[in-house]
């Protein structure tokens, strides 16, 4: 394996285990749970390129991080779209709800 590929894999692993990646955005199952909230739109995140068996989890964590950066408190998973066998994209609808 090339050093750059190994460094990339180690970097992604460190990113996922980083405390700054832990999102405070709550995933809800249905629209009624966010009916009184402000809709902020949609975020999409890719798992990146590489053979990742857990690409859904990776893409979801990255999308939740984006949602948090945009001020979201809640999200609904819109879709997981495979990009080949081992990669893909997570799309979330995001909302800001009053405390």
């Amino acid at each position: 394996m090339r050093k750059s590929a190994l460094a990339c894999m180690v970097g992604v692993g460190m990113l996922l285990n980083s405390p700054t990646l832990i999102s405070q955005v709550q995933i809800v199952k249905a629209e009624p749970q966010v009916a009184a909230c402000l809709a902020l739109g949609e975020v999409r995140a890719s798992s990146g390129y590489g053979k990742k068996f857990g690409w859904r989890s990776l893409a979801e964590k990255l999308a939740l991080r984006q949602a948090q950066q945009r001020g979201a408190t809640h999200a609904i998973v819109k879709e997981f779209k495979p990009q080949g066998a081992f990669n893909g994209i997570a799309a979330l609808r995001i909302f800001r709800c009053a405390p």
Side-chain angles (χ1 to χ4, degrees):
M1 181 178 292
R2 295 179 60 198
K3 287 183 182 180
S4 60
L6 179 60
C8 181
M9 288 174 23
V10 170
V12 168
M14 290 173 62
L15 175 66
L16 288 178
N17 293 320
S18 168
T20 60
L21 191 64
I22 298 171
S23 174
Q24 300 301 313
V25 177
Q26 179 182 355
I27 294 180
V28 296
K29 300 279 184 194
E31 290 284 335
Q33 294 173 282
V34 290
C37 304
L38 175 65
L40 299 176
E42 184 178 302
V43 292
R44 300 174 73 78
S46 170
S47 64
Y49 179 75
K51 296 198 181 297
K52 300 177 185 77
F53 289 107
W55 70 262
R56 285 178 185 240
S57 175
L58 174 58
E60 181 180 73
K61 286 178 183 178
L62 294 171
L64 285 169
R65 179 68 177 148
Q66 286 182 30
Q68 183 175 336
Q69 289 173 341
R70 289 186 49 193
T73 58
H74 293 75
I76 296 175
V77 176
K78 182 177 175 185
E79 71 175 331
F80 288 109
K81 185 176 180 182
Q83 302 283 303
F86 301 105
N87 307 295
I89 295 171
L92 309 176
R93 293 181 52 225
I94 60 173
F95 303 85
R96 183 179 306 131
C97 302

